């Protein structure tokens, strides 16, 4: 029997209820757990994401070159333009303005609290180049 049976990505933010609503709508997810300091959602494909209250949270500064990207989320989509319109309508914003290089198309965004995430049309096969 496995010692670890489940995992969840947790993002710290000042207002977990608001950020959970952004991701709930983006992922067509449902809320599975909520308390005063944490909200967890689960997407139809099983992805689990939790938002945890941190009253001192500050938005990440990525993609500024002086600060290395430590963590980000990646979501696969079939239509990048439609997904971008949805993200912007929910309060997210684009962060990548250059064309992506490589065998797949991807675009970078920030959620309303400043966490970075990538939309891509296929799963990458090569390591990140820079």
């Amino acid at each position: 029997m496995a010692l670890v049976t489940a995992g969840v990505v947790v993002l710290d933010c000042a207002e977990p209820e608001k950020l959970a609503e952004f991701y709930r709508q983006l992922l067509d997810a449902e809320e599975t757990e909520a308390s005063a300091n944490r909200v967890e959602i689960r997407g139809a494909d099983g992805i689990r994401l939790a938002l945890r209250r941190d009253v001192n949270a500050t938005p990440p500064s990525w993609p500024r070159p002086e600060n290395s990207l430590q963590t980000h989320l990646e979501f696969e989509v079939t239509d990048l333009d439609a997904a971008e319109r949805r993200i912007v309508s929910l309060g997210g914003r684009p962060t990548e303005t250059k064309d992506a290089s490589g065998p797949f198309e991807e675009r970078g965004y920030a959620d309303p609290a400043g966490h970075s995430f990538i939309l891509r049309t296929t799963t990458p096969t090569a390591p990140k180049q820079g």
Side-chain angles (χ1 to χ4, degrees), residues 27-97:
L27 301 173
D28 291 326
E30 64 181 39
E31 187 176 293
T32 59
E33 176 185 320
S35 69
N37 293 310
R38 178 183 161 114
V39 178
E40 186 173 316
I41 61 171
R42 182 183 308 255
D45 67 350
I47 186 173
R48 292 174 57 199
L49 183 63
L51 301 304
R52 182 180 69 170
R53 187 176 316 281
D54 177 349
V55 295
N56 296 313
T58 57
S61 60
W62 183 81
R64 291 188 335 201
E66 62 270 19
N67 293 319
S68 173
L69 174 63
Q70 298 297 312
T71 297
H72 69 278
L73 302 170
E74 291 183 359
F75 302 109
E76 291 185 10
V77 299
T78 56
D79 185 333
L80 284 168
D81 293 330
E84 181 168 305
R85 287 190 295 274
R86 177 109 187 236
I87 288 163
V88 171
S89 76
L90 294 172
R93 64 179 172 80
T95 59
E96 294 283 331
T97 56

